[in-house]
Each structure stands twice: as structure tokens, then as C-alpha cells.
């Protein structure tokens, strides 16, 4: 069964008469409805072809509308920002590599304020993320502190 859209269900139930008829159907009472009114409830998925209430309808609609479970580095993001870094392991390495590649231009010297601005788009804890990128070898900090450069395979 393909779940009807929640929009179709809500728009149908927005009408007082449709809500009344659906409530009667849920309670097992006679509908006393015109064929057109019954068809409207069927079209919305509120009634089966046999005129019965499908008790699984709302579960199916909610399941269809639920976002999928994020995979890979996406699971560390909430509303486009990271809450924190994984402490160790491959997850940390993968997330740092993703952030370096996504945020920092290759082959360019970047000033510390610019690095901070770029990292600030994904975290509140800029110094920790900046240090993690340097410690992991993905970003190089110039010895005199004047700038940073993303390390690439060609570097």
C-alpha cells in the first residue's frame, strides 16, 4: 500500500462534514453520506474501497514522511552544523577530511580570520575544529602564524 499524502488527508479533514463522516466511520456508525462524500474520503485514503477505516493509515503516512537515518559523515550534522567531533577513529578522520575538503580551498594561503569564518559556518567551537584539522595533517599552519593552507595530495 502506498500511503496517501498527509496533505491530501489534512485538506480532506479540513472540512467539517468530512471530519464528521470520518468520525462516524471510526466509531462504526452509519455514515449517512452521499456517494460523492464517501468518494472524497476514499480518495484521501481515509476509507478503503469497501468503506472501512484503515487502522494503519496514519502509521503508514508518518513512516512515509519520516526522514531517513543519516549515513556517513551526515550523521554528525544537525541543521547544517556539527555538535562536536567524534573523539577518535575513522569517524573522526572521515569528518575532518570532509570538512577540510568542503570548507577550505585547495592550494591557497588563508588567513586565520578567514579560516575562522569558514569553520564558523559549521561549528561554534572554532578553535577545537581548527586544531583538530591541523593535528590530523589536513591543514598546515604556517610557523609564523600568518596563515593556513589545506594539505592536498599534490602538496
Amino acid at each position: 500500500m502506498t500511503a496517501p499524502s498527509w496533505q491530501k488527508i489534512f485538506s480532506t479533514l479540513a472540512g467539517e462534514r468530512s471530519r464528521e463522516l470520518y468520525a462516524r466511520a471510526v466509531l462504526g456508525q452509519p455514515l449517512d453520506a452521499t456517494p460523492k462524500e464517501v468518494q472524497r474520503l476514499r480518495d484521501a485514503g481515509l476509507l478503503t474501497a469497501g468503506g472501512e477505516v484503515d487502522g494503519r493509515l496514519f502509521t503508514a503516512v508518518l513512516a512515509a514522511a519520516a526522514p531517513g537515518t543519516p549515513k556517513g559523515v551526515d550523521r554528525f550534522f544537525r541543521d547544517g552544523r556539527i555538535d562536536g567531533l567524534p573523539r577518535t577513529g575513522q569517524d573522526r578522520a572521515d569528518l575532518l577530511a570532509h570538512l577540510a575538503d568542503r570548507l577550505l580551498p585547495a592550494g591557497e594561503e588563508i588567513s586565520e580570520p578567514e579560516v575562522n569564518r569558514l569553520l564558523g559556518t559549521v561549528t561554534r567551537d572554532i578553535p577545537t575544529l581548527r586544531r583538530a584539522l591541523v593535528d590530523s595533517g589536513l591543514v598546515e599552519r604556517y610557523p609564523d602564524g600568518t596563515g593556513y593552507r589545506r594539505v592536498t595530495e599534490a602538496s
Side-chain angles (χ1 to χ4, degrees):
M1 167 185 130
T2 301
S5 75
W6 63 267
Q7 294 97 333
K8 180 72 171 170
I9 292 169
F10 271 75
S11 67
T12 301
L13 292 176
E16 187 175 335
R17 177 70 176 157
S18 293
R19 280 196 312 275
E20 177 188 338
L21 293 173
Y22 183 65
R24 287 182 183 178
V26 168
L27 295 172
Q29 297 175 353
L31 290 187
D32 190 30
T34 68
K36 186 175 179 178
E37 291 171 325
V38 172
Q39 189 60 48
R40 185 178 303 123
L41 294 173
R42 283 187 187 135
D43 290 345
L46 292 162
L47 296 180
T48 65
E52 299 161 354
V53 173
D54 181 357
R56 300 169 299 165
L57 172 68
F58 292 103
T59 302
V61 170
L62 288 171
T69 302
K71 306 280 188 232
V73 296
D74 290 339
R75 68 187 194 277
F76 299 110
F77 287 86
R78 304 286 177 272
D79 299 321
R81 299 176 66 82
I82 56 172
D83 293 332
L85 293 172
R87 296 211 183 269
T88 58
Q90 193 61 48
D91 286 340
R92 182 181 181 92
D94 290 346
L95 180 59
L96 289 172
H98 171 78
L99 291 171
D101 186 52
R102 179 177 145 199
L103 298 174
L104 305 173
E108 292 181 26
E109 180 178 319
I110 312 166
S111 69
E112 185 168 322
E114 181 65 6
V115 168
N116 291 345
R117 186 188 68 74
L118 293 168
L119 298 181
T121 63
V122 295
T123 187
R124 285 190 186 106
D125 192 355
I126 295 166
T128 298
L129 179 54
R130 188 180 60 232
R131 173 54 52 204
L133 288 165
V134 170
D135 289 348
S136 69
L138 294 166
V139 173
E140 178 181 74
R141 182 177 186 266
Y142 291 171
D144 64 2
T146 59
Y148 292 80
R149 183 177 61 81
R150 187 175 108 209
V151 176
T152 60
E153 293 177 19
S155 298

